[in-house]
Amino acid sequence: MIATGSDLSIMVRRGLLTFKPFRIFVLGIGFFSLCFLMTSLGGQFSAKRSGESPFTVRAEVLGGQESRGVLRKISDMLEVIMKRMDALSKLGNTTDAHRLDELSSALDSYCMSDIIQCVRRGECCKSMPSTNRMRSTNNYKIQPVGLVERIQAIAQNMSDMAVRVEQILQRSMAGNRVRDGALGQCEIPKDPHYPDCPSKMDWMRARWTSDPCYAFYGVDGSDCSFLIYLSEVEWFCPPLAWRNQTATPTWKPPPKRQAVFQFDIGTLLEQVGTGKESLSFMKRRIRRLAAQWASAARRLDDKLRNHWREQKRILVHVGFLTEESGDVFSPKVLKGGPLGEMVQWADIVTALHVLGHDLKISVSLKELHGFLGVPPGRGSCPLTGPLPFDLIYTDYHGLQQMKQHMGLSLRKHKCHIRVIDTFGTEPAYNHEEYATLHGYRTNWGYWNLHSQQYMTMFPHTPDNSFMGFVAEELNETERLNIQRNKVNNMAVVYGKEASMWKGKEKFLAILHRYMEIHGTVYYETQRPPEVPAFVKNHGLLPQQELQQLLRRAKLFIGFGFPYEGPAPLEAIANGCIFLQPKFNPPHSSLNHEFFRGKPTSREVSSQHPYAEQYVGRPHVITVDFNNSEAFDATIREIMKINVEPFLPYEYTCEGMLERVHAYVQNQDFCSPDDPFPPVNTSRSWLGSSPSPFTLLPNSSVLMWASNTSSYTSWPPLSALRLLASLEDQSCVSACQSAGLICEPAFYRFINIKEAFSALDFQCEGLESEMNHLYPAFSAEHAECGLQQDALLFSCAGSSAKHQRLCPCRDYRIGQVALCRDCL
C-alpha cells in the first residue's frame, strides 16, 4: 500500500512538472482518488482476456493481494501516457498549444466527470461491502453494478484516450517534419495574380475554427495549413512549389452515353419518396399520366430517329418541400392549398425520367448533401471534386440552400443550375450590382445567372426559358362523351379557398340567373359562410372527380386569383369555356401586393394572360367583372356558344418532352461564347456583305444574311429577325406585334454598330454602358448605346426616350419555346 502510494506521488509530481495545462493536473487528482478508492476497497479486477485492452475489466470484485498488481498496471499505463505527454509538452507554437487544449479537453470529458461525481456523492463507497468482510469470505463475490459500470466506462475511455494521445503525438511530429522541411516556405506569397491571398490568410488565422469543414480539409491552425487550403481547396493563393502537385489525379469526365426513352415509371416512383402528402400527390399524378407519357415518348422517338441524344446526369432538388424551408405546401394538399407547383415538379421529373436521363431526386438537405458530396460543417468550404451532375433543377429555396451549403462552389458550378420560377425573373432584377444601384433589388433575384436559366410555368417572360407542365389529353371516346353529356347551364367556380369568394356576390348573382353554380371549396365541418346558399358546394374533390365535374360543366369561371395556375387549361381541355376578369390597370409589382417583391416588372392584364393571348376566344373570354352590363351580356353570349375540348400542343406530354429534350441537349451556359464580333479580324467576318443583316422579302424586318460568316448558336441564326421597337415599347411587345418572339440568345449578335446602320439609325455618338434597355437609340441626342454586360441583355423594359434594338425569332405553331429549326 505504501509502495503504491509512493508510486502515485511520484507520478503526480511528474505530471505537475511536465504538463502545462491545468486540466491535466486535475486529471492526476482524479486518478489518485480512483486508485485510493480501489485500494481501500481491497477489490481487484480479474485477469484480462486475450485481445482485451489493459483497461478492460471484468464485473467481479474479489478480496486479495492482486489488487496492487492491477494498480501497478494502471501506474504503468499512466507512465506510458506521461512519457508521450512529456513530448507534447515541449511543443511550443500556437498550433501545438491548440492540440494540448484539444487533448486536455478530451481528458476532462473522458475521465473527470465520472470520477469526481462518484466520489463527491459517495455512491462508490455505498455500493461496496467493507474490506474486512470481503477478506473474511474466501469465495465471496458481489456485483456492485453502479461502481463496476462506472469503472468499466472510465477504463475503456482511458484506453481510447491513450490511442488518441498517440495519434495527436504522431500528427504533431509529422507537422514538425513538414515545418522543418518547409522552413521559410510558408510565408505569404506576393503574387499579383492572387491579390486576395494576404487578406484570406488573415481571415483564416482569425476564423478557421468557425466551421469544422476547415479541419476536415486538414487545416490545423498553422500558416502552412492555411496556404495549402487556400491554394488547393480554394483558389485565393498560388500553388505551393514545395507541395507534390502530381498527387492530385487529373479528372476525366465520364464517357458520354446515349439516352434511351424509358417507359417504366417504377424506379421514378421509388425516387420520389414518401412521408409527405405533397409527395403522395405527385406520385398519384405520375401514375395517372403514365400511359400518356409512354405514348408521347414513342411518338417523339419516331421524330428523333436520326438524332443522337446524350444521357445527362441530373439532380432535381425540390427546395420548397424541404423541412428546412418550412414546407407550408404539404400540410395544405388535402385542405385546398395550391397544387400548381407540385403539378409542375411531378411533370418535370417524369419528363426527365422518360427522356432517359440519369436522375436523382432530393427533397431534404441530407439528401442534397449526399448527392453533392458536401463536406461536413456549415457550408464555408467548397466542394473539391468535380460536380457529379451535368444539370441541377431546383427552385429559389433550393438555390438558397445550395448557397449555404456549397460555399464558393456555387459560383463555380452555377452554370449547371436551372431554377424553376413560376412568375419569372427579369435581367434587371437578376444582376446583383445593377439591381442594387437602380432599385431592382428584391428578396428574390440577384443571383447573376444567365436569364434563360430561370424556367417558368407559362411563356410570359421571353428572357427566361418556358418549362411548363402537362394537362390530361382526351381520347376520341372521351371527347364524344363530353359532347353528349355537357350541361349547357352548369358553371364551376375556380376557387378552392373560402377567402377567394369574399366580395363576389354581385356577379355571382348575375351568373345565377342563367346557370347552376357549383363550387369545390374545402371545409371540415360546416359550410363556409362566404359561399352563397345557391351554390352547390362539393367540397374539395380528388383530381379524377374534379375532371368528371368539368366534363359536364359548360363554364369555368375565375375570380381573379390564383394567378396563372394549371386549372384553367385543364378546364379548357375538358371542353369548358374559361371566363376570367380583366384587370384595369394591369396588376404588377408596382400596384399589387401579391407581386410586390417578385423579381419582375411584368404587367398582368388578366387572371391568366397565357389563356387570353395564346388560346383566346371562343375557349377563353376576358371581361371587366365590375361592369355588370358587360358581364351579363357575356354570360348570355356563352350560353349560345358550343366549344370542343382544346389543349395547346405545348401542354401535352409530347409537347413537354419535345421542349425539355431541346433544352437539355442544346442549352449550354458553362462554355464561354466566342467573342462577337471576332477580335483582330478587321471586317472579314462580314464576308462579302457590308452588313450582316438583310431585309426579309416584302418586309421591314431584317434577318441574318446568308453570306455572312456562320457562328455556332442555339437557336440557329437562321431564325434571327431584327427590328426596332417604338419609343416606350419593350422588345417583348415589339416582337409580338410582328408575330414573333423576343429571343435573348441573339442579343450578342445585334449588339454591334452595324445593327444601328441596318435599321437606318444615324449615330452621332456611340457609347457602351450597363443598361438593361441597351442596345437602344436615343432620338433626342442621336446617340446609340451598346450593352456592356451580357447578363443585362433583356427583352423586358422600355423607355419613352429610347427605341430598342430587338432580336426576335420565329416559332413553331403550338410550341412557342422553339423556333422552326430548333429541334
Side-chain angles (χ1 to χ4, degrees):
M1 176 70 182
I2 297 175
T4 304
S6 177
D7 287 343
L8 288 171
S9 299
I10 294 171
M11 289 165 53
V12 170
R13 287 199 300 273
R14 182 176 299 160
L16 292 172
L17 292 173
T18 306
F19 290 92
K20 294 180 182 180
F22 175 74
R23 294 175 183 176
I24 308 305
F25 168 76
V26 178
L27 176 66
I29 297 297
F31 266 91
F32 180 86
S33 301
L34 175 64
C35 295
F36 178 82
L37 174 65
M38 292 165 60
T39 304
S40 66
L41 293 174
Q44 78 163 24
F45 303 110
S46 65
K48 65 185 181 72
R49 289 167 287 187
S50 175
E52 288 182 337
S53 163
F55 286 105
T56 302
V57 297
R58 303 284 291 276
E60 294 180 350
V61 182
L62 304 173
Q65 193 70 20
E66 294 88 67
S67 61
R68 291 182 177 81
V70 176
L71 292 176
R72 182 69 256 173
K73 293 179 181 179
I74 295 175
S75 176
D76 291 343
M77 176 55 69
L78 288 174
E79 180 73 19
V80 173
I81 297 175
M82 293 294 186
K83 290 179 180 179
R84 292 173 178 169
M85 292 300 294
D86 185 61
L88 283 177
S89 70
K90 297 176 183 178
L91 305 176
N93 64 17
T94 57
T95 303
D96 304 321
H98 167 73
R99 287 174 179 148
L100 288 174
D101 271 347
E102 177 187 353
L103 176 65
S104 61
S105 176
L107 293 175
D108 278 346
S109 62
Y110 281 155
C111 309
M112 289 306 301
S113 60
D114 278 348
I115 296 171
I116 293 174
Q117 289 176 20
C118 179
V119 174
R120 281 180 178 173
R121 292 195 302 261
E123 295 171 357
C124 308
C125 298
K126 289 179 183 177
S127 62
M128 296 292 294
S130 69
T131 306
N132 292 335
R133 182 179 176 186
M134 292 180 68
R135 287 177 178 173
S136 64
T137 308
N138 293 333
N139 297 319
Y140 180 78
K141 293 184 180 181
I142 191 166
Q143 301 282 341
V145 177
L147 175 63
V148 171
E149 288 182 349
R150 287 178 182 276
I151 293 176
Q152 281 182 312
I154 295 168
Q156 182 60 51
N157 285 336
M158 280 300 300
S159 178
D160 295 341
M161 186 203 70
V163 175
R164 187 167 180 178
V165 169
E166 180 66 26
Q167 292 173 345
I168 294 174
L169 180 60
Q170 290 175 356
R171 289 205 310 266
S172 300
M173 292 180 173
N176 282 336
R177 289 194 295 270
V178 170
R179 283 187 291 276
D180 293 341
L183 187 62
Q185 294 178 336
C186 292
E187 296 180 358
I188 302 175
K190 297 178 180 179
D191 190 326
H193 296 98
Y194 297 88
D196 295 325
C197 186
S199 63
K200 286 293 179 180
M201 282 289 292
D202 291 338
W203 190 96
M204 290 293 290
R205 287 170 179 149
R207 300 290 304 279
W208 75 274
T209 57
S210 64
D211 194 319
C213 70
Y214 295 114
F216 175 79
Y217 283 123
V219 175
D220 60 10
S222 67
D223 280 3
C224 284
S225 69
F226 296 154
L227 281 173
I228 292 170
Y229 174 85
L230 290 173
S231 63
E232 297 179 11
V233 179
E234 297 185 9
W235 45 87
F236 292 105
C237 293
L240 305 175
W242 52 273
R243 291 281 291 174
N244 182 8
Q245 301 299 326
T246 61
T248 303
T250 302
W251 177 76
K252 294 182 179 179
K256 292 184 178 181
R257 296 181 179 179
Q258 184 170 4
V260 178
F261 283 101
Q262 300 182 79
F263 304 104
D264 180 15
I265 62 168
T267 56
L268 174 63
L269 293 173
E270 290 178 6
Q271 285 194 307
V272 170
T274 58
K276 290 175 178 281
E277 190 56 45
S278 53
L279 300 179
S280 298
F281 172 86
M282 292 169 63
K283 291 169 77 169
R284 288 194 296 270
R285 179 176 176 83
I286 293 170
R287 289 191 190 97
R288 190 171 67 251
L289 295 176
Q292 294 193 15
W293 284 109
S295 177
R298 293 185 181 94
R299 292 194 298 270
L300 184 60
D301 193 19
D302 290 338
K303 286 184 183 179
L304 301 175
R305 284 296 183 190
N306 297 324
H307 289 72
W308 189 87
R309 299 185 303 113
E310 180 183 350
Q311 185 188 59
K312 302 287 187 178
R313 299 165 302 157
I314 298 176
L315 171 64
V316 174
H317 177 60
V318 190
F320 82 97
L321 290 183
T322 62
E323 294 299 327
E324 292 79 6
S325 71
D327 187 12
V328 298
F329 289 84
S330 295
K332 296 183 179 181
V333 169
L334 300 179
K335 297 182 179 181
L339 301 177
E341 287 81 1
M342 282 166 273
V343 165
Q344 187 180 32
W345 277 110
D347 295 346
I348 289 170
V349 298
T350 307
L352 294 170
H353 171 81
V354 171
L355 286 169
H357 297 294
D358 182 6
L359 188 64
K360 298 289 184 292
I361 300 174
S362 162
V363 291
S364 72
L365 277 186
K366 181 179 179 181
E367 291 172 320
L368 179 67
H369 285 192
F371 287 136
L372 293 178
V374 174
R378 301 184 181 94
S380 302
C381 302
L383 312 181
T384 53
L387 188 71
F389 299 99
D390 301 302
L391 293 169
I392 300 175
Y393 288 83
T394 189
D395 52 27
Y396 267 123
H397 293 284
L399 193 57
Q400 185 64 42
Q401 290 167 353
M402 284 192 283
K403 178 182 178 181
Q404 293 171 352
H405 296 273
M406 289 178 66
L408 292 171
S409 298
L410 181 64
R411 186 189 310 171
K412 180 179 179 182
H413 298 306
K414 67 180 181 180
C415 63
H416 300 277
I417 294 173
R418 305 293 183 266
V419 181
I420 306 304
D421 176 18
T422 301
F423 295 100
T425 299
E426 294 174 358
Y429 296 83
N430 169 65
H431 194 293
E432 183 176 16
E433 179 185 355
Y434 188 82
T436 303
L437 291 175
H438 296 86
Y440 292 101
R441 180 94 183 213
T442 69
N443 291 332
W444 311 98
Y446 65 83
W447 288 95
N448 292 325
L449 301 177
H450 190 290
S451 64
Q452 291 183 301
Q453 289 178 252
Y454 299 100
M455 312 192 89
T456 59
M457 184 172 278
F458 293 96
H460 46 56
T461 306
D463 290 304
N464 305 152
S465 299
F466 161 47
M467 171 58 75
F469 60 95
V470 304
E472 292 188 49
E473 300 174 69
L474 303 176
N475 58 38
E476 195 58 36
T477 301
E478 290 170 329
R479 295 173 71 90
L480 291 173
N481 288 336
I482 285 176
Q483 291 177 346
R484 284 196 298 263
N485 299 326
K486 277 291 179 186
V487 179
N488 195 52
N489 66 338
M490 178 177 173
V492 175
V493 173
Y494 181 20
K496 297 179 293 183
E497 296 183 18
S499 60
M500 298 176 182
W501 292 66
K502 290 181 180 179
K504 308 299 189 297
E505 297 84 0
K506 185 175 180 180
F507 63 80
L508 280 175
I510 297 174
L511 179 62
H512 181 54
R513 296 178 199 163
Y514 303 95
M515 292 188 169
E516 180 182 88
I517 305 175
H518 294 249
T520 58
V521 183
Y522 168 78
Y523 66 96
E524 293 183 354
T525 55
Q526 296 182 342
R527 178 188 177 92
E530 295 88 349
V531 180
F534 55 75
V535 174
K536 184 177 182 180
N537 185 30
H538 300 264
L540 195 65
L541 295 177
Q543 185 66 22
Q544 288 181 318
E545 293 182 30
L546 177 60
Q547 295 277 61
Q548 295 303 317
L549 187 66
L550 291 174
R551 290 178 182 183
R552 294 172 50 225
K554 173 73 172 284
L555 177 67
F556 189 62
I557 181 170
F559 283 164
F561 187 84
Y563 299 98
E564 299 176 314
L569 285 187
E570 293 174 345
I572 295 167
N574 281 289
C576 293
I577 295 172
F578 176 51
L579 177 63
Q580 64 171 345
K582 184 178 183 65
F583 300 148
N584 189 16
H587 293 181
S588 72
S589 58
L590 300 178
N591 64 9
H592 202 275
E593 188 62 31
F594 179 82
F595 290 101
R596 191 164 288 119
K598 290 182 170 56
T600 176
S601 300
R602 183 167 62 95
E603 295 185 335
V604 178
S605 59
S606 62
Q607 181 174 358
H608 208 291
Y610 173 86
E612 179 185 9
Q613 297 169 15
Y614 290 92
V615 180
R617 282 175 173 267
H619 302 280
V620 180
I621 299 177
T622 306
V623 67
D624 183 0
F625 280 22
N626 294 319
N627 186 329
S628 298
E629 292 182 1
F631 184 82
D632 187 283
T634 301
I635 299 300
R636 284 186 275 111
E637 178 189 357
I638 289 172
M639 297 290 291
K640 301 174 184 177
I641 298 175
N642 291 317
V643 297
E644 294 186 359
F646 174 74
L647 181 62
Y649 174 76
E650 54 202 353
Y651 283 97
T652 65
C653 291
E654 184 179 349
M656 185 168 184
L657 285 174
E658 181 182 79
R659 184 169 61 253
V660 174
H661 152 73
Y663 288 151
V664 170
Q665 299 299 326
N666 295 291
Q667 284 186 336
D668 181 5
F669 306 113
C670 295
S671 302
D673 291 327
D674 295 330
F676 186 86
V679 294
N680 303 322
T681 57
S682 183
R683 292 176 59 82
S684 60
W685 64 276
L686 291 173
S688 59
S689 173
S691 170
F693 306 102
T694 185
L695 278 172
L696 278 170
N698 304 317
S699 173
S700 59
V701 176
L702 297 170
M703 62 180 292
W704 191 257
S706 59
N707 57 354
T708 303
S709 299
S710 61
Y711 295 92
T712 302
S713 171
W714 193 84
L717 280 169
S718 60
L720 171 60
R721 304 292 184 263
L722 172 63
L723 55 81
S725 75
L726 303 175
E727 291 179 345
D728 205 19
Q729 184 184 35
S730 71
C731 285
V732 176
S733 176
C735 293
Q736 282 180 346
S737 299
L740 301 167
I741 297 294
C742 184
E743 177 51 67
F746 287 151
Y747 260 115
R748 70 189 189 100
F749 297 104
I750 70 165
N751 191 43
I752 54 177
K753 61 182 180 180
E754 287 81 5
F756 291 98
S757 301
L759 291 168
D760 294 328
F761 288 126
Q762 303 300 317
C763 302
E764 294 184 8
L766 184 67
E767 62 179 1
S768 178
E769 68 175 64
M770 287 172 54
N771 188 323
H772 74 287
L773 301 176
Y774 283 9
F777 175 74
S778 171
E780 182 180 358
H781 302 99
E783 287 186 349
C784 298
L786 297 175
Q787 180 58 257
Q788 185 176 320
D789 192 327
L791 287 183
L792 285 172
F793 284 139
S794 176
C795 294
S798 62
S799 167
K801 297 180 179 180
H802 290 90
Q803 287 182 264
R804 301 192 57 194
L805 273 60
C806 300
C808 309
R809 64 164 170 83
D810 57 28
Y811 61 91
R812 300 174 60 191
I813 302 300
Q815 187 72 290
V816 69
L818 302 179
C819 68
R820 293 168 187 164
D821 298 326
C822 279
L823 192 59

